[in-house]
Amino acid sequence: MPQTYASVESAEEKPSNGKRTPGRPRSEDARKAIHRSTLRLLQETGFPDLSIEAIAADADVGKATVYRWWPNKASLVAEAFSRSADEELRFPNTGSVRDDVGIQMKHLVRVLRGRRGRIVAALIGGGQSDPELIQAFRDRFMMPRRQEAYQTLRRGISRGELPEDLDLDLTLDTLYGSLYMRFLIRQTGLSDDYVDKVMALVFDGAAKRE
């Protein structure tokens, strides 16, 4: 999601020789370092034990730098994960709504089955008792993907692949809810073949309505 990156005062970041130098540091490099440290420490400690102090120390920046960009660790964790998966979870535009959604869902399956799946589990699990965390996860990760998905389905409607009165939210809940259900209860079979079967069930049903 577009952001305006604030400059960081030089006193808050140190070069490799350990000495602080005058001038403004490279804020984008600092932001990337904070994201990397956040994701690595989250996998090691889990969300409840993760601290801004530990993230700042691991990224070699001042704690004030972290708080300048993120109001709390929930927003930082959600953004760090979203940025890590942003490119691979974009929806393509192949000219076929089934292909576009299927490709994106299979990329999501790879994320969930990989090491970042533990981060998703920590975000969803921790969010059940932490309103700030689940809100940050929705705002910074789920909703940007959701908006892209709406656009993808609407392209399919405009091309006549889907009915004009298609319930977009119900369609997406059915498609992606099935993936998250299998992921969270650790049911086997979260695979490309499973995606194909869910796609056939949902899209063939929509096509029959038309």
Side-chain angles (χ1 to χ4, degrees), residues 12 51-57 61-70:
E12 292 173 344
S51 70
I52 294 294
E53 291 78 6
I55 293 169
V61 301
K63 185 170 66 172
T65 299
V66 181
Y67 280 116
R68 177 173 288 116
W69 285 328
W70 299 279

Side-chain angles (χ1 to χ4, degrees), residues 142-143 145-151 153-154 157 162-178 202 209:
M142 297 297 291
M143 288 312 299
R145 305 289 85 73
R146 191 83 165 188
Q147 292 301 322
E148 284 188 40
Y150 287 150
Q151 294 174 9
L153 293 181
R154 288 179 182 127
I157 292 171
L162 298 170
E164 293 184 1
D165 63 345
L166 182 72
D167 187 323
L168 302 185
D169 285 311
L170 180 59
T171 300
L172 294 175
D173 287 348
T174 304
L175 288 167
Y176 289 89
S178 63
V202 174
R209 283 186 56 227

Side-chain angles (χ1 to χ4, degrees), residues 44-60:
E44 293 178 0
T45 68
F47 183 78
D49 295 326
L50 184 68
S51 70
I52 294 294
E53 291 78 6
I55 293 169
D58 191 79
D60 198 22

Side-chain angles (χ1 to χ4, degrees), residues 88-142:
E88 63 194 292
L89 294 185
R90 290 191 183 280
F91 284 79
N93 186 1
T94 66
S96 164
V97 67
R98 291 182 69 148
D99 288 346
D100 294 344
V101 175
I103 289 169
Q104 199 273 350
M105 287 179 69
K106 289 174 183 179
H107 286 171
L108 176 59
V109 163
R110 292 183 181 91
V111 169
L112 295 177
R113 293 180 62 184
R115 60 183 180 82
R116 282 174 297 174
R118 287 182 290 173
I119 297 173
V120 178
L123 289 167
I124 296 174
Q128 304 313 300
S129 57
D130 188 327
E132 282 188 343
L133 178 58
I134 202 65
Q135 184 67 45
F137 183 60
R138 281 198 300 263
D139 292 347
R140 295 176 182 262
F141 177 71
M142 297 297 291

Side-chain angles (χ1 to χ4, degrees), residues 19-35:
K19 296 180 180 179
R20 300 181 186 276
T21 57
R24 295 185 183 276
R26 299 170 63 183
S27 61
E28 181 61 18
D29 287 347
R31 182 180 287 269
K32 289 178 180 178
I34 293 167
H35 283 166

